[in-house]
Amino acid sequence: MIPALLRENRPFRVYFAGQAVSLIGDQVSLIALPLVAVLVLHATPAEMGYLTTAALVPNLLFSLHAGAMIDRRGRRRQTMIVADLGRAALLATIPVAYAFDALTFGQLYAVGFLIGIFSVLFNVSASTLFISLVPRERYVEASSIENGSRAASFVGGPSLGGLLVQAVSGPVALAVDAVSFVVSALTLSRIKPDEPETEPVQRGHLTAGIRYVFGSPLVRPALWAVTTINFFNFIFFALFILYANRYLHVGPGVLGVVLGTGALGGLLGAFLTGRIVRRIGVGPAFILGCVLFPVPLVLVPLAGGGRGLVLACLFLAEFGSGFGVMLLDISFGSISAALVPDRLRSRVSGAFNVVNFGVRPLGAFAGGILGATIGVRPTLWIATVGAITGFLWLLPSPLPALRTIPEADV
């Protein structure tokens, strides 16, 4: 059954359709790009860490300024279209270089870095475009629909990516993501929402988002919680594909299928989050998500024994973690969408991402260094146990008592 919001709201429906296609392409790249490094260029643990770092470091370098620029100049939809087309063109260079036997780590690093810059521009713009498309009272519903699509992409994307890598090679599989970015750009060109007014440059314009984030009793502890989780998770993700393929001897096709079917947990999480929020409250639901997201990943370094047991551990890790991340993302996304003033939205998104996304390349870099020095499996133990501690930031905050969507700050 098609959700009522998609039936009733054409602009959101068109936007949703484009992003749904793009998300599948992203999931193909998520498994295909590291497999290109492992299978085509024979990457070491350190090189895997560097590759992940290159793709993520633009969040640390550019998020704050990108948010300020978007709030100042507006044109968020046009910025997102340019970002989509730029990412498509960059990804297309990889299969071309591979065809001419000219693919190098230098190119992978450069493509990852430049795609990261375009992704920063896209993400800080999308946070404001979302509230331009959806009425306030339907934020949880719309966020559940968006994240349900994201969860569905987790089901099909890795399986498709793994099978494409096995059938036609990793570089060619990346062309699927390039096409998905073009589809996203085309759908964005078909909607024209009324965006919030821009704000003229004043003293403190650039740092207004930072002041808001660190002054908010709700946003500040949430930032520290997800930042802790993400730092350790990216230590984990920098080495996961390498560990599964080289140490657990799971081939690309099987790995894609296991991760895809395991991601049904995310689909279930997107479906049930609205009910959980209504039952226990939006703040407690967010805290629960911060626990359920990292805990299942301990099954990865635990995996061992027969092939069936190894695959079962990977499946359950992905299933449980996928459920938790949907609960986390939908509940906090709804809190943030309701709470943050429109005039500050892109700058708050940029400031939040400087820290939250900014630690991701640091985590990936640390993962590569630790994996090369103490070993891949001990590093995965550090990553999984460390991520579980993130929820502790939330316990002294007002979030445990937050039952409904908060009123907007002035």
Side-chain angles (χ1 to χ4, degrees), residues 8 14 54 74 88 101 110 138 142 175 179 182 192 213 227 288 293 355 376 397:
E8 299 164 4
V14 173
D101 197 25
R138 305 189 81 168
V179 172
V182 174
K192 295 182 180 179
V213 167
T227 296
L288 183 60
F293 177 21
V355 182
V376 174
S397 77

Side-chain angles (χ1 to χ4, degrees), residues 192-268:
K192 295 182 180 179
D194 294 325
E195 299 181 15
E197 293 185 5
T198 57
E199 185 173 82
V201 178
Q202 302 173 5
R203 184 179 178 84
H205 178 86
L206 179 64
T207 58
I210 296 175
R211 293 197 303 275
Y212 177 86
V213 167
F214 287 100
S216 169
L218 293 176
V219 177
R220 184 181 62 251
L223 173 61
W224 293 130
V226 296
T227 296
T228 300
I229 294 170
N230 277 323
F231 174 77
F232 286 104
N233 271 357
F234 273 80
I235 294 177
F236 177 92
F237 290 133
L239 299 174
F240 172 67
I241 296 293
L242 178 72
Y243 182 70
N245 181 258
R246 191 169 294 172
Y247 293 81
L248 298 180
H249 309 293
V250 180
V254 174
L255 181 60
V257 170
V258 169
L259 295 184
T261 54
L264 289 169
L267 205 57
L268 183 64

